[in-house]
Amino acid sequence: MIALFSPQFMLLSNITQFSPMFYLTGFPGLDTIEHWIFIPFFLMYLVAISGNCFILIVIKTNPRLHRPMYYLLSFLAFTDLGLSVSTLPTTMGIFWFKSHGIYFVACQIQMFCIHSFSFMESSVLLIMSFDRFLAICHPLRYSVIITSQRVIRAGLAVIFRGPVALVPLVLLLKTFPYCGPRVLSHSFCLHQEVIHLACTDTTFNNLYGLAVVVFTMMLDLVLIALSYGVILHTVARLASQEEQLRAFQTCTSHLCAVLIFFVPMVGLSLVHRFGKHVPLAVHLLMANVYLFVPPMLNPIIYSIKTKEIRHIISKLLGLKKVSTKSWS
């Protein structure tokens, strides 16, 4: 926990309700080794940012990859990149510069970005599941229905539904008074944590926030589950086991992305809404896994499982070897 009589804590305790400052903790009780804790976080940031930038550059610079499936992959890489960049400033500030304070406006912007990119990723995974559904269940109609223009239009439309719904939720926070020490248990701002610090009735915000989550991310998860139910039923009806394996292998990358995103997300939501007596370490673990692991693993998974990207990586490594020999 934060030292209860530290200068920062006492300062925040005495601030009036009109002060715009919040206090981000990071890892309570581990202040002395925060520099070392940041090393794995720095490596995750490095892999997430460089990996997703690499996928975006590869898809942009290779005309052969200007196809619907890769447009969807670029959407996913963009949302993962945005999610990583959203948490980077405050996390680095805490671990390296001991900067725990954050102005309320900056906190609003950060939580809007974090939740927006989370909603975007959920939407992209839903569209990708529809893509896999058509590719396996209706292969003859796939090229007619899934075109580049339709994918881009549908992607933009579905992606922006979350951020639009979030605007009133985040703006309403400005109208609430915040009493006492405004201490947040993470190294970044989350709506479900800030709302608990308000010393007024927040029923509308809670209900509206729950409705937004249910009709976006929860609905996406249900539709993804239904699409995979139909996919499994279709795959089970194929004649040979080899055909079944080949068909299902086209879904493994997307299925891994769905699991590493939605499992921590559901766990974090349950812990925040119903786990009042759950240890703080569980809250921290779920939040960090939810925000840091998917952006790091997605580019690795798709780089390994996607033949074209794997071929480009092998080609780049081959060129590197040739250039090394030429200089020797």
Side-chain angles (χ1 to χ4, degrees), residues 19-259:
S19 173
M21 291 295 293
F22 282 86
Y23 188 92
L24 301 171
T25 57
F27 286 87
L30 301 176
D31 298 345
T32 57
I33 58 172
E34 278 183 347
H35 291 86
W36 301 108
I37 295 175
F38 185 71
I39 292 177
F41 281 86
F42 175 77
L43 294 176
M44 285 191 288
Y45 275 125
L46 183 65
V47 173
I49 294 175
S50 60
N52 287 297
C53 285
F54 173 77
I55 288 179
L56 288 171
I57 293 171
V58 165
I59 294 174
K60 174 67 176 178
T61 56
N62 286 268
R64 291 180 301 173
L65 302 184
H66 294 177
R67 290 182 284 167
M69 183 179 73
Y70 294 100
Y71 287 137
L72 291 174
L73 181 56
S74 65
F75 276 132
L76 183 64
F78 172 75
T79 57
D80 281 334
L81 185 62
L83 201 57
S84 297
V85 173
S86 297
T87 59
L88 180 62
T90 52
T91 304
M92 180 173 289
I94 289 173
F95 287 141
W96 282 107
F97 305 110
K98 301 296 183 181
S99 176
H100 291 267
I102 182 172
Y103 285 102
F104 181 74
V105 174
C107 188
Q108 278 184 301
I109 294 173
Q110 185 180 51
M111 77 172 69
F112 177 78
C113 292
I114 291 174
H115 293 302
S116 292
F117 283 113
S118 297
F119 286 139
M120 289 180 190
E121 181 147 350
S122 174
S123 301
V124 172
L125 291 173
L126 173 62
I127 300 174
M128 294 176 83
S129 71
F130 182 68
D131 174 82
R132 292 299 85 205
F133 164 75
L134 286 176
I136 294 176
C137 301
H138 303 283
L140 299 179
R141 300 172 59 188
Y142 177 82
S143 59
V144 177
I145 299 175
I146 303 295
T147 63
S148 297
Q149 288 186 346
R150 286 179 178 174
V151 165
I152 293 174
R153 290 172 183 172
L156 291 175
V158 177
I159 278 175
F160 283 107
R161 62 171 183 163
V164 170
L166 278 172
V167 170
L169 194 66
V170 174
L171 291 180
L172 281 173
L173 292 175
K174 189 71 174 178
T175 65
F176 297 146
Y178 298 91
C179 310
R182 272 158 266 176
V183 180
L184 303 176
S185 59
H186 302 294
S187 58
F188 39 80
C189 293
L190 295 176
H191 175 269
Q192 55 265 42
E193 210 179 6
V194 173
I195 196 68
H196 287 160
L197 300 179
C199 50
T200 186
D201 183 20
T202 60
T203 303
F204 176 79
N205 238 46
N206 290 329
L207 293 177
Y208 182 81
L210 181 61
V212 170
V213 172
V214 168
F215 288 103
T216 53
M217 304 180 86
M218 289 293 118
L219 180 60
D220 292 346
L221 181 57
V222 171
L223 293 176
I224 291 172
L226 289 175
S227 67
Y228 268 100
V230 178
I231 288 172
L232 289 174
H233 179 70
T234 303
V235 170
R237 294 169 57 188
L238 295 176
S240 65
Q241 188 174 0
E242 183 179 353
E243 290 179 346
Q244 294 177 351
L245 183 62
R246 188 185 304 116
F248 194 72
Q249 279 180 340
T250 63
C251 300
T252 53
S253 299
H254 177 257
L255 189 58
C256 290
V258 168
L259 291 176

